[in-house]
Amino acid sequence: MGKLKIIAIVGSLRSNSFHRQLAIEAGRLLGDSAELELLDFSDVPLLNPDFEYPAPDAVKRVRDIVKSANGIWFFSPEYNHFFSGALKNLIDWLSRPISESKPQVLRNKPAAVSGLSPGMSGSVVAQDHLVSLISVLNMKVMNQPRVAIPNVMQQIDTNGRLSLNPISFNFLETQAKAFVTFIQNNLK
């Protein structure tokens, strides 16, 4: 088996969000065991059955990327105790059959979930909602370990960049290693 391909789906569309920075750090922690690609889905339109078939080009593009992946790693912010509308819209598109003969692309994909927040929740409430949704879609969810980093504003450097403390870094590193093993075990 070659190098694993993991797609990072960041629930925030902000170009330099802390979740995007967390995903980039996770990619570094994977080292040579896997390649992490950040999925750009900022051009995916709102799901509308009036133009679902054939799907818009942006939807076809993200479906192809997700289909080619060995695993999906979600980095989800928490908006009002839920994951973002942008992430929900993407999942709605990915959960739809490609055609009458081609199923949706999330089925049986290994999935991990991480997040952070300025408050104490670390995005755990949003993560629980997200896990509930992707479980219904028959993704293979790695429930442990999950990363939920609280008080993120205390882990920002003087330039406003994410700078994980040793405890948060160790949690993310543990999750990265566990996710590689989880994917490998689910490819057998």
Side-chain angles (χ1 to χ4, degrees), residues 15-131:
S15 62
N16 197 28
S17 74
F18 295 137
H19 283 88
R20 180 172 300 280
Q21 292 177 50
L22 186 65
I24 291 167
E25 185 63 28
R28 281 194 280 269
L29 290 171
L30 290 169
D32 292 333
S33 62
E35 169 193 347
L36 185 87
E37 177 183 340
L38 273 70
L39 181 68
D40 178 6
F41 63 96
S42 59
D43 58 343
V44 171
L46 290 174
L47 178 63
N48 182 339
D50 287 342
F51 57 85
E52 186 174 353
Y53 299 107
D57 288 342
V59 173
K60 291 177 187 175
R61 178 184 56 77
V62 297
R63 281 179 175 163
D64 287 344
I65 292 168
V66 168
K67 186 176 179 181
S68 72
N70 299 110
I72 308 297
W73 196 340
F74 293 94
F75 295 84
S76 180
E78 186 167 294
Y79 299 163
N80 297 317
H81 292 287
F82 219 83
F83 52 90
S84 70
L87 180 55
K88 175 66 166 75
N89 184 63
L90 174 67
I91 292 171
D92 286 344
W93 274 112
L94 296 175
S95 72
R96 303 294 297 154
I98 295 172
S99 68
E100 289 182 20
S101 61
K102 294 182 182 175
Q104 55 103 334
V105 297
L106 295 175
R107 180 179 310 273
N108 294 321
K109 289 282 184 194
V113 180
S114 297
L116 42 78
S117 73
M120 288 299 296
S121 79
S123 80
V124 76
V125 177
Q127 288 185 33
D128 285 344
H129 290 296
L130 179 58
V131 166

